[in-house]
Amino acid sequence: MSDQTGKQLSKEEKDARFEAELLPVLDPLYNFAYRLTLDEDDANDLVQETYLKAYRFFDYFEQGTNAKAWLFRILKNSFINEFRKKSKQPAKVDYSEVEGYYNTDDVEGEGGVATTTDMRTESVQDLIGDEVASALNALPVDFRTVIILCDLEGFTYEEMAKILDIPIGTVRSRLHRARNSLKEKLEKYAKSMGYNS
Amino acid sequence: MEAKFTEAYPKAPDAAREAECGRVSDMLDLMIDGEASSEEQRFFNDHIEECVNCFENHQKQKLLKGLVSGHLKRVIVPQSLVRSIKARIQETL
């Protein structure tokens, strides 16, 4: 198939290629793991597991192909096959965050926040980021996944279909439902801040 | 304000307009994700030039995507992670 076929890499060559092609994906991969597990230690384990598998199967990886999509696919499979089995709650949701989210109405009653905010300040930007994170974390993991892959990591529908092992039509419909759900959650927040959607 | 603006447009035949709006609504994600074909893009852009509702829905959908891509904070990778990965790989050999 490719030029690589049949050519056995020395350990040094393999390590060098592994580092050059796969390690640069560490940042997005860790972020993806964190958004799936919502826990730093779990994300750590999941990423290590992913790189171990990638190293083991590195001979099957064709140089120059989409390393990022390949690693994301391995990580997603590890998450489904192993990680969720270990965890007692399959789709882990941080309920304190969800609770906090739904209680924003009460906070607004105190006044102040909505009337004195300046959208340019860093703290407001942080606040928006926190709300987006809370709303996203409250979504079922399948919905969360497509939004992260598409909006945060910029994968195409075709790449997402490969990573998730689902047809492109399913990617589209899942993304559509995920966004509706996210929109609903954020609209509640927007209203609590005095914005009408 | 929105109502006045909408009224300023002549009414298109209802059924045809509704069908177009439906198609445009189904294409919102394709458009904001850059997955629409050039023909679909042309159809979409022609329609939202004339339809305030669909124009606004498009703006909202773009805003939603922007909230995730522009505001969701990235978590910092722990410095020890690369070391752990390399160490574990060496262990498995």
Side-chain angles (χ1 to χ4, degrees):
Chain A
M1 284 187 258
S2 78
D3 294 346
Q4 305 296 320
T5 316
K7 185 188 164 195
Q8 203 65 26
L9 293 172
S10 72
K11 187 188 172 304
E12 286 73 24
E13 282 173 322
K14 182 178 173 180
D15 286 359
R17 270 190 54 197
F18 181 84
E19 282 198 25
E21 295 187 38
L22 302 191
L23 282 185
V25 187
L26 180 62
D27 183 90
L29 202 61
Y30 180 77
N31 271 270
F32 183 45
Y34 177 75
R35 293 288 162 205
L36 286 179
T37 60
L38 303 177
D39 181 278
E40 286 179 15
D41 290 335
D42 290 342
N44 231 303
D45 290 347
L46 195 52
V47 168
Q48 287 191 39
E49 201 58 47
T50 301
Y51 273 107
L52 274 184
K53 280 188 192 157
Y55 189 82
R56 211 173 299 145
F57 295 108
F58 195 55
D59 292 340
Y60 296 95
F61 173 69
E62 283 186 42
Q63 196 164 12
T65 57
N66 195 335
K68 187 176 171 186
W70 187 58
L71 285 171
F72 269 64
R73 182 185 157 94
I74 297 175
L75 188 138
K76 185 270 307 177
N77 285 336
S78 298
F79 175 69
I80 291 174
N81 297 333
E82 293 158 41
F83 188 84
R84 282 169 96 172
K85 247 184 262 168
K86 275 188 245 164
S87 157
K88 284 194 176 139
Q89 289 181 314
K92 213 161 69 171
V93 170
D94 185 337
Y95 288 104
S96 62
E97 286 194 67
V98 185
E99 239 172 28
Y101 174 80
Y102 284 110
N103 285 340
T104 47
D105 280 352
D106 305 340
V107 178
E108 198 233 356
E110 306 289 317
V113 182
T115 48
T116 57
T117 44
D118 178 341
M119 295 305 285
R120 288 164 301 183
T121 62
E122 202 177 311
S123 60
V124 173
Q125 296 299 321
D126 282 353
L127 202 65
I128 296 171
D130 290 347
E131 283 307 323
V132 175
S134 299
L136 193 67
N137 293 351
L139 296 181
V141 71
D142 284 346
F143 282 3
R144 205 157 68 217
T145 303
V146 283
I147 288 181
I148 295 295
L149 293 179
C150 187
D151 296 343
L152 205 62
E153 298 303 340
F155 284 111
T156 63
Y157 290 178
E158 197 182 341
E159 287 169 331
M160 286 163 72
K162 282 182 186 153
I163 292 169
L164 300 173
D165 270 320
I166 53 177
I168 288 187
T170 310
V171 170
R172 276 188 66 178
S173 59
R174 193 175 292 176
L175 191 58
H176 182 70
R177 284 183 292 139
R179 282 185 173 143
N180 279 348
S181 192
L182 183 67
K183 207 184 302 176
E184 210 175 280
K185 290 181 190 305
L186 287 170
E187 273 171 2
K188 277 186 196 160
Y189 170 67
K191 277 183 192 147
S192 79
M193 290 288 285
Y195 295 99
N196 292 315
S197 53
Chain B
M1 222 161 76
E2 185 188 315
K4 272 187 212 156
F5 200 28
T6 314
E7 278 165 18
Y9 284 88
K11 280 189 177 172
D14 286 348
R17 165 54 67 92
E18 266 176 36
E20 266 202 7
C21 292
R23 193 178 156 202
V24 160
S25 165
D26 288 343
M27 284 167 58
L28 280 175
D29 290 310
L30 287 179
M31 286 298 294
I32 62 163
D33 295 330
E35 297 269 350
S37 67
S38 50
E39 191 196 330
E40 285 170 325
Q41 286 177 38
R42 209 173 312 124
F43 167 78
F44 186 95
N45 288 325
D46 285 350
H47 180 87
I48 62 167
E49 265 180 35
E50 292 177 9
C51 178
V52 179
N53 277 342
C54 290
F55 173 81
E56 285 186 348
N57 287 340
H58 183 224
Q59 295 300 312
K60 279 187 195 167
Q61 203 74 351
K62 278 200 286 190
L63 180 72
L64 183 73
K65 188 179 170 90
L67 278 175
V68 176
S69 60
H71 289 279
L72 193 67
K73 273 176 262 172
R74 297 193 77 92
V75 282
I76 312 270
V77 181
Q79 285 187 340
S80 59
L81 187 53
V82 173
R83 272 200 310 278
S84 307
I85 290 168
K86 287 182 180 171
R88 281 189 66 184
I89 285 172
Q90 295 312 316
E91 277 169 24
T92 59
L93 296 176

